[in-house]
Amino acid sequence: GEVVVPVVLALEWFARVARTFRPDLHLSRIKDLNVLKGIRLQDFDGQGDRLVLTCKQLRNSAGAVLGLTLESPAGVVHYRAEAEMTEGELVAMNDTPPRLALADWGGAPIYGDVLFHEDEFQVVQELDGVGDEGISGTIKGVHTAKWAWENWNTDVAAMDGGLQLILLWARSKMGGSVLPMAIGEARMSTDAPPQGRIRCVARCRAESKSRGLADVVFHTESGERFAELNNVQVILRPGTPVADA
């Protein structure tokens, strides 16, 4: 019942401020994105909530490394990351998707328990299956989901869909609802979201009973890999009842 800022929206904001700070360079990746304190929006239906993005250059050689933070006006740091900028054009990624051993999903509802999303935020369209190695399916990008209220720098709908797949995997293999707490690396091979439906494969593994890691890749309908999230860290939500398998 509370409105919160999704991790992928912080990633989008970091991409915007990095590209604005160094418009002469290309954003290659955002790394070491850490959720230090989740953001609950207190006045979402009113005048809104104020947040502060900061960006400073840490290193400068052939490109640049930028330090990024997302804070409250009171100075509480909620998110922190670094952006790597390059002089040359973005390099295409390996187009081969990971091969996972998956069991059939079985037609169970996708939304309703660990995925509380409603309306246009239900971006997972189809699931191929789930297994010990991970999960894969078809998801909507910002264009297919008709998220037309912003000029997006990243495909926030697709990336949130990738995190939603991780939550479904964790429900099946870790026994409960998890929260994403860090993204080791977010890479993009384009400066704008692609058209069409998105194929998504998440290779997942449990590090312990309460902690998991995942690498997520995103392909266009034509098979081109346009983004990936590596070393996504999730933890079981404290005090959350374990979902039925």
Side-chain angles (χ1 to χ4, degrees):
E2 294 185 81
V3 181
V4 298
V5 173
V7 175
V8 293
L9 190 53
L11 182 66
E12 163 74 15
W13 291 339
F14 283 158
R16 291 187 194 188
V17 73
R19 286 170 172 155
T20 301
F21 189 81
R22 289 299 304 265
D24 56 315
L25 299 175
H26 293 280
L27 175 61
S28 173
R29 63 173 180 159
I30 292 176
K31 64 178 185 177
D32 299 331
L33 188 153
N34 288 287
V35 184
L36 305 177
K37 185 177 178 59
I39 303 174
R40 291 180 171 87
L41 301 179
Q42 305 299 320
D43 199 18
F44 180 77
D45 292 320
Q47 295 184 351
D49 296 78
R50 182 174 175 80
L51 298 168
V52 180
L53 280 165
T54 62
C55 178
K56 63 180 180 180
Q57 189 156 297
L58 303 179
R59 295 184 293 279
N60 186 25
S61 54
V65 176
L66 311 178
L68 307 164
T69 59
L70 177 60
E71 307 175 31
S72 70
V76 176
V77 180
H78 292 274
Y79 287 82
R80 179 178 285 121
E82 291 186 358
E84 289 192 356
M85 314 295 292
T86 60
E87 290 183 345
E89 294 291 330
L90 296 177
V91 178
M93 301 178 187
N94 177 14
D95 286 343
T96 305
R99 294 186 177 181
L100 306 178
L102 303 178
D104 185 71
W105 179 253
I110 296 174
Y111 292 93
D113 48 30
V114 296
L115 294 189
F116 54 83
H117 309 70
E118 297 180 356
D119 303 325
E120 64 265 35
F121 295 97
Q122 294 186 356
V123 295
V124 179
Q125 294 183 293
E126 300 171 2
L127 289 173
D128 303 323
V130 62
D132 292 339
E133 296 180 334
I135 187 171
S136 70
T138 302
I139 58 182
K140 298 178 183 179
V142 289
H143 297 298
T144 305
K146 302 187 186 306
W147 289 19
W149 56 84
E150 291 281 355
N151 184 21
W152 301 107
N153 277 235
T154 64
D155 199 323
V156 287
M159 290 189 178
D160 198 63
L163 297 185
Q164 291 179 30
L165 290 187
I166 298 173
L167 266 63
L168 290 174
W169 173 85
R171 176 191 184 276
S172 175
K173 300 302 176 181
M174 293 177 64
S177 178
V178 298
L179 292 171
M181 297 303 296
I183 299 175
E185 176 189 59
R187 294 186 61 207
M188 305 89 171
S189 64
T190 63
D191 285 333
Q195 298 285 339
R197 300 201 305 173
I198 308 299
R199 294 285 303 149
C200 180
V201 180
R203 184 184 294 278
C204 309
R205 56 200 181 275
E207 285 198 305
S208 66
K209 291 183 178 180
S210 62
R211 187 178 297 270
L213 278 176
D215 299 319
V216 192
V217 296
F218 304 87
H219 288 79
T220 65
E221 285 184 320
S222 62
E224 178 186 357
R225 184 182 299 195
F226 70 92
E228 57 187 44
L229 302 176
N230 297 317
N231 287 325
V232 179
Q233 300 179 31
V234 296
I235 60 169
L236 279 173
R237 295 176 59 185
T240 300
V242 174
D244 294 333

